[in-house]
């Protein structure tokens, strides 16, 4: 499919579908309403769908420029959406939304209150599309297939570079509470371990350097794409729309210095998930023990 333009208006672009790819994908989704998808829309839809695929519970993702600015799971998709959108409503302006459950009228009414570029979900309940069609430019897509871990297809990830092609396997490292190694004096409760795993899934999908704060099953603050990890931690705290005291924190790579722990302690964080492997791990662990993290 020819696109209006690429990442910028001066770039030509097209979208190619692989007809042999199994699972639920943006390429196989059906557009029900709205103007033509843009290059950036497709990138955000693909990433949002990828995130939602990691969760079984009703989950909503709010996506902006290939980074999530909101994520929440709840007992129903309406509550999940409301919580996810309000994580960072300022950044959510002009966002892409993915719901892993059908969009009902109540959720459609809330989405229609905001400037949203596109919505993707398994399907729309009666009356939901009609409500959102009042927004002429919003793109509405349905996958006509489940959005869940079982529907996720793992494939090679490729990135073109000048004169060559980088190819790697998909990131697929299952983490469960039994595999968590507690390296500090303080250990998480079962509930906190559950939140740490939720935060870990979120951090996996945030552009590095990534630091995220989570309470229960929703994001509180997301710090993305900084050259310094401690700056990502500062941004995650600054972005938070609710108190960070008592939150859990996840980092997508090891902490090179204990200054990240100092930052987390000032934000009231009590539990942290990170992969470890720094030559200064002992200093990081020592700092955690000093703060009771």
């Amino acid at each position: 499919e020819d696109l209006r333009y690429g990442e910028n208006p001066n770039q030509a672009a097209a979208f190619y579908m692989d007809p042999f790819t199994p699972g639920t994908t943006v390429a196989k989704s059906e557009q029900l309403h709205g103007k033509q998808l843009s290059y950036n829309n497709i990138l955000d839809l693909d990433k949002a769908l990828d995130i939602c695929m990691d969760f079984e519970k009703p989950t909503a993702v709010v996506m902006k420029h290939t980074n999530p600015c909101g994520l929440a799971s709840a007992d129903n998709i309406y509550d999940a959406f409301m919580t996810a959108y309000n994580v960072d409503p300022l950044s959510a302006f002009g966002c892409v939304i993915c719901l892993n459950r059908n969009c009902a009228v109540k959720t459609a009414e809330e989405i229609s209150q905001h400037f949203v570029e596109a919505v993707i979900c398994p399907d729309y309940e009666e009356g939901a599309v009609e409500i959102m069609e009042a927004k002429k430019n919003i793109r509405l897509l349905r996958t006509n297939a489940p959005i869940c871990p079982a529907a996720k297809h793992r494939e090679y990830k490729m990135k073109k570079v000048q004169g060559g092609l980088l190819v790697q396997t998909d990131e697929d490292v299952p983490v469960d509470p039994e595999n968590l190694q507690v390296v500090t004096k303080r250990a998480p409760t079962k509930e906190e371990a559950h939140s740490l795993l939720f935060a870990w899934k979120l951090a996996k999908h945030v552009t590095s350097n990534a630091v995220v704060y989570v309470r229960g099953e929703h994001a509180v603050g997301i710090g993305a794409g900084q050259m310094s990890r401690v700056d990502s931690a500062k941004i995650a705290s600054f972005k938070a729309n609710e108190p960070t005291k008592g939150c859990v924190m996840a980092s997508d790579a090891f902490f090179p210095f204990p200054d990240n722990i100092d930052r987390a302690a000032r934000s009231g964080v009590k539990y942290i998930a990170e992969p470890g492997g720094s030559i200064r791990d002992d200093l990081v662990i020592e700092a955690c023990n000093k703060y009771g993290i």
Side-chain angles (χ1 to χ4, degrees):
E1 176 187 356
D2 287 327
L3 303 177
R4 288 194 301 160
Y5 51 79
E7 190 172 0
N8 296 293
N10 61 305
Q11 294 170 275
F15 184 37
Y16 295 85
M17 174 185 176
D18 180 352
F20 305 109
T21 300
T24 305
T25 67
V26 173
K28 293 194 290 186
S29 297
E30 175 187 5
Q31 185 171 351
L32 303 178
H33 171 73
K35 61 184 180 182
Q36 184 183 27
L37 290 170
S38 73
Y39 180 96
N40 292 327
N41 289 156
I42 293 167
L43 284 177
D44 280 340
L45 285 163
D46 177 69
K47 187 70 174 178
L49 188 62
D50 191 39
I51 297 173
C52 258
M53 291 280 203
D54 273 348
F55 297 90
E56 294 280 5
K57 285 184 67 173
T59 299
V61 176
V62 180
M63 207 77 196
K64 190 73 177 292
H65 298 314
T66 69
N67 268 311
C69 59
L71 171 68
S73 295
D75 292 333
N76 60 78
I77 199 64
Y78 174 80
D79 288 342
F81 166 70
M82 292 297 291
T83 304
Y85 192 90
N86 287 312
V87 170
D88 188 358
L90 183 65
S91 296
F93 184 82
C95 65
V96 162
I97 294 167
C98 181
L99 312 173
N100 70 351
R101 297 292 192 276
N102 292 350
C103 180
V105 166
K106 188 178 180 183
T107 308
E109 288 172 341
E110 287 295 338
I111 291 174
S112 295
Q113 302 301 310
H114 309 287
F115 171 43
V116 174
E117 287 277 358
V119 179
I120 188 168
C121 60
D123 205 349
Y124 298 84
E125 295 182 8
E126 186 176 353
V129 171
E130 288 75 12
I131 289 170
M132 288 188 284
E133 279 179 338
K135 298 271 189 176
K136 184 177 68 173
N137 292 329
I138 190 172
R139 292 93 163 169
L140 302 178
L141 290 85
R142 66 179 176 196
T143 62
N144 292 309
I147 299 175
C148 63
K152 190 168 189 173
H153 172 62
R154 302 289 181 181
E155 60 184 5
Y156 287 112
K157 300 295 185 182
M158 305 181 193
K159 188 177 287 288
K160 184 74 175 69
V161 296
Q162 293 293 333
L165 183 70
L166 287 167
V167 183
Q168 65 176 347
T169 56
D170 198 358
E171 193 290 317
D172 188 15
V173 182
V175 181
D176 64 59
E178 300 302 317
N179 294 336
L180 294 178
Q181 298 179 30
V182 180
V183 295
T184 52
K185 293 177 181 177
R186 182 172 184 166
T189 64
K190 183 178 179 181
E191 291 76 17
E192 296 301 335
H194 182 77
S195 290
L196 283 167
L197 289 177
F198 185 96
W200 184 252
K201 289 180 181 179
L202 170 58
K204 180 179 81 169
H205 293 285
V206 178
T207 302
S208 192
N209 286 321
V211 172
V212 301
Y213 294 151
V214 162
R215 175 171 287 109
E217 292 182 313
H218 72 273
V220 171
I222 300 172
Q226 298 304 301
M227 291 68 77
S228 161
R229 187 160 300 277
V230 72
D231 285 341
S232 289
K234 290 176 183 176
I235 290 171
S237 178
F238 170 75
K239 282 284 190 181
N241 270 336
E242 61 180 270
T244 55
K245 185 176 181 180
C247 281
V248 305
M249 174 177 163
S251 170
D252 69 340
F254 62 66
F255 296 117
F257 301 99
D259 54 356
N260 291 273
I261 309 305
D262 298 334
R263 175 73 256 178
R266 286 200 295 275
S267 297
V269 168
K270 291 300 180 185
Y271 303 96
I272 299 174
E274 56 104 20
S278 167
I279 60 172
R280 300 180 185 84
D281 269 354
D282 56 338
L283 298 179
V284 171
I285 293 166
E286 184 183 322
C288 285
N289 286 330
K290 181 179 76 171
Y291 294 116
I293 293 174

